[in-house]
Amino acid sequence: MKRPDWSAGNHLELLENGEEFFPAVFAAIKGAKHEVIIETFILFEDKVGLALREVLIAAAKRGVRVDMTVDGFGSPELSMNFVNGLTDAGVRLHVFDPPPKLSRRLKPFRRLHRKIVVVDGETGFIGGINYSADHLIDFGPEAKQDYAVRVQGPVVAQLRRVTGEILATATPQTRSAGPTAQRRWWRSRAQEPRTSNPSTGSGAATAGQAKAVIVTRDNHRHRDDIERMYRLALHASQHEVIIANAYFFPGFLLLRSMQRAARRGVKVHLILQGQPDIAWARWAAQLVYDRLMRAGVQIHEYCERPIHAKVALVDDHWATVGSSNLDPLSLSLNLEANLIVEDRAFNRALRDKLLPLMKSQCKLLKIEETNAHRWWWRLGMGAFVFHVMRHFPRWLARLPRQAQPVMPVAQTPVVVSASQLPDAEAWQWQGVSLSVTPGASGTSCTSGAACLRKETAE
């Protein structure tokens, strides 16, 4: 891992759930003048996906260059009508590592799990929220609790560079002419020119005072960068650590960092799944509860609905929001991206979101409620399963690697004849607007929900 490329002078807004995230993204796309780039793991053809489709089509029709890359495993089916509406308008719709025709669910590893938006090289979004209706509260008991960040300032150029690396690998049918189109097989990725376009403002001017950096994980030069940033923050912690994560099964080094922080008196709180959307997620996390709690780590299970967050804060200045879970898939296999922030106001904004969850919507576990008292655990079965699962990604990484192409959607099995939700209608997002209250250090929306204001569209 090379030294982080910190950028000062950024303006950050913490966004909670789809009610805040989707209107902010759609409004930014609606105002785009030159370029929109989107990466997402999941794009569903529900009311959120249809609303995104509407704003992308409108942007492309007014001459904005639009590139959207979806993951072939996370977005396995899109109807021909949905896709044709986008591509006919000029949207370049790509699929990362599309599935084989035999089965759309046969390639679950090394996925594009990032969630990034860049508009005109000036405004960016990063977090854990996909384009699906289950990120809206009205979805019901299975609605996900999650976070994202709207970014303005110099760090947006880093976001754009990250997305440009994926687009540079797209097949010639989907990428436009330019420096990346002339790439030759003998040029290493390290020699690849950084994407830049004067019309998109990729050298964004100072917009605030927050210090931030984009940290990625891939299967080449950045295999453990996100995990290392977590470990460095834990090693430097002095008073408090709060980690909220959907899928929690970290490796030995990260577990040890949490244990050591707790043993030297740091208050370490974990907000984890109490009502998981995937059954094995809670079971896997429970395998490490005992060793963490014996070190003094406090574990809070969020029981209101599934938590999909991938956020953390340390003391009163460090924070992260992104796509990376703390499990083997995210830490060892998938392509991930997190925003790391050093800013007191943003740290405070995230704390103001997490503390109410921890205090009133979570159950604080006692060690008697873990597997530590079960006979099969005392016989060593828990330790055996833990070590097998911990080393599984390393074993998998040694298998022969296949190329992971980025292909035009029309050339992949993702396109199906008809939508699974034929009666779905686009979400009327313009009925919800964000009222921004300036905060310290160039950070807006420091009071979280107070920044969301519902209005009737006129």
Side-chain angles (χ1 to χ4, degrees):
M1 175 182 174
K2 69 176 184 179
R3 201 177 175 121
D5 185 17
W6 290 96
S7 294
N10 298 286
H11 177 88
L12 310 175
E13 298 175 26
L14 181 63
L15 304 173
E16 182 178 32
N17 296 326
E19 283 79 5
E20 293 187 16
F21 175 73
F22 296 136
V25 171
F26 297 165
I29 296 172
K30 186 177 179 180
K33 299 178 181 178
H34 307 290
E35 178 187 73
V36 173
I37 304 174
I38 298 177
E39 286 183 6
T40 187
F41 180 61
I42 291 175
L43 171 63
F44 285 164
E45 199 170 334
D46 55 20
K47 64 180 184 180
V48 170
L50 292 171
L52 174 63
R53 177 177 179 265
E54 284 186 354
V55 294
L56 291 179
I57 289 174
K61 285 184 175 178
R62 64 177 185 268
V64 176
R65 172 183 169 133
V66 180
D67 282 282
M68 180 163 64
T69 306
V70 303
D71 183 77
F73 181 83
S75 307
E77 292 187 353
L78 297 171
S79 74
M80 188 174 297
N81 180 62
F82 182 90
V83 169
N84 287 345
L86 289 164
T87 56
D88 289 350
V91 175
R92 297 171 176 86
L93 182 57
H94 322 274
V95 179
F96 177 85
D97 195 18
K101 293 183 179 180
L102 178 64
S103 173
R104 295 180 177 87
R105 309 296 288 183
L106 278 181
K107 300 172 74 174
F109 303 119
R110 299 191 179 108
R111 305 313 317 178
L112 177 67
H113 194 243
R114 306 187 307 213
K115 294 91 176 172
I116 298 174
V117 181
V118 182
V119 177
D120 290 341
E122 298 175 351
T123 300
F125 297 85
I126 183 171
I129 301 178
N130 292 294
Y131 296 95
S132 55
D134 56 1
H135 286 280
L136 294 170
I137 300 298
D138 65 11
F139 189 77
E142 296 301 311
K144 293 178 171 63
Q145 178 70 24
D146 210 342
Y147 304 91
V149 183
R150 174 174 173 167
V151 184
Q152 293 174 306
V155 79
V156 177
Q158 295 182 24
L159 272 179
R160 190 173 183 275
R161 186 161 63 248
V162 167
T163 58
E165 291 173 355
I166 287 290
L167 293 178
T169 66
T171 57
Q173 294 95 323
T174 58
R175 69 180 184 230
S176 65
T180 58
Q182 301 301 319
R183 183 171 181 255
R184 296 292 185 263
W185 64 270
W186 62 81
R187 296 182 63 178
S188 68
R189 185 170 299 277
Q191 295 172 311
E192 210 45 46
R194 293 184 177 182
T195 55
S196 61
N197 185 341
S199 66
T200 62
S202 57
T206 297
Q209 298 179 18
K211 184 180 175 183
V213 63
I214 301 298
V215 179
T216 60
R217 200 236 143 248
D218 59 31
N219 293 299
H220 301 286
R221 294 177 297 152
H222 305 286
R223 295 173 183 268
D224 61 354
D225 288 13
I226 293 176
E227 181 179 352
R228 286 195 182 191
M229 293 298 284
Y230 266 96
R231 285 162 46 201
L232 286 171
L234 284 161
H235 292 166
S237 62
Q238 297 180 2
H239 307 293
E240 181 185 48
V241 174
I242 302 177
I243 298 173
N245 207 270
Y247 308 113
F248 183 84
F249 193 77
F252 172 75
L253 292 178
L254 188 51
L255 278 175
R256 187 177 64 181
S257 296
M258 296 178 193
Q259 291 171 304
R260 286 180 172 177
R263 284 171 179 154
R264 67 173 187 268
V266 177
K267 296 179 180 178
V268 180
H269 300 275
L270 302 180
I271 302 175
L272 306 177
Q273 294 267 23
Q275 184 181 326
D277 55 342
I278 299 177
W280 57 261
R282 185 167 180 258
W283 176 83
Q286 288 177 334
L287 291 175
V288 301
Y289 281 6
D290 175 60
R291 64 189 66 214
L292 286 170
M293 294 174 72
R294 290 188 187 280
V297 175
Q298 293 190 328
I299 298 177
H300 311 258
E301 287 194 339
Y302 179 70
C303 299
E304 289 291 309
R305 55 185 187 277
I307 189 167
H308 197 253
K310 303 98 168 54
V311 304
L313 62 86
V314 174
D315 294 334
D316 61 355
H317 64 283
W318 188 96
T320 184
V321 179
S323 68
S324 182
N325 295 301
L326 298 181
D327 69 348
L329 292 179
S330 283
L331 296 177
S332 303
L333 294 168
N334 290 339
L335 276 65
E336 306 283 0
N338 272 40
L339 177 74
I340 311 292
V341 180
E342 287 191 355
D343 181 72
R344 292 180 183 275
F346 186 82
N347 175 288
R348 184 168 59 250
L350 183 56
R351 177 180 277 98
D352 288 345
K353 293 290 190 181
L354 297 181
L355 285 181
L357 260 64
M358 198 166 66
K359 292 180 178 179
S360 62
Q361 300 177 43
C362 289
K363 176 184 178 182
L364 177 62
L365 292 187
K366 299 178 181 179
I367 198 164
E368 297 80 21
E369 299 171 313
T370 69
N371 291 322
H373 68 285
R374 301 179 187 271
W375 65 267
W376 54 268
W377 181 272
R378 291 197 298 269
L379 286 177
M381 183 59 68
F384 172 76
V385 174
F386 167 72
H387 287 291
V388 169
M389 293 184 66
R390 181 168 67 89
H391 292 294
F392 174 72
R394 187 182 304 170
W395 299 335
L396 188 68
R398 292 177 179 174
L399 296 176
R401 261 185 224 152
Q402 295 180 339
Q404 293 185 290
V406 180
M407 299 178 61
V409 66
Q411 299 178 15
T412 72
V414 165
V415 181
V416 295
S417 58
S419 171
Q420 293 184 342
L421 299 170
D423 299 326
E425 296 182 358
W427 184 49
Q428 298 303 307
W429 62 274
Q430 295 186 79
V432 179
S433 64
L434 294 178
S435 178
V436 177
T437 303
S441 298
T443 307
S444 296
C445 288
T446 55
S447 59
C451 300
L452 180 63
R453 177 169 51 91
K454 293 187 177 181
E455 297 179 342
T456 303
E458 298 180 355

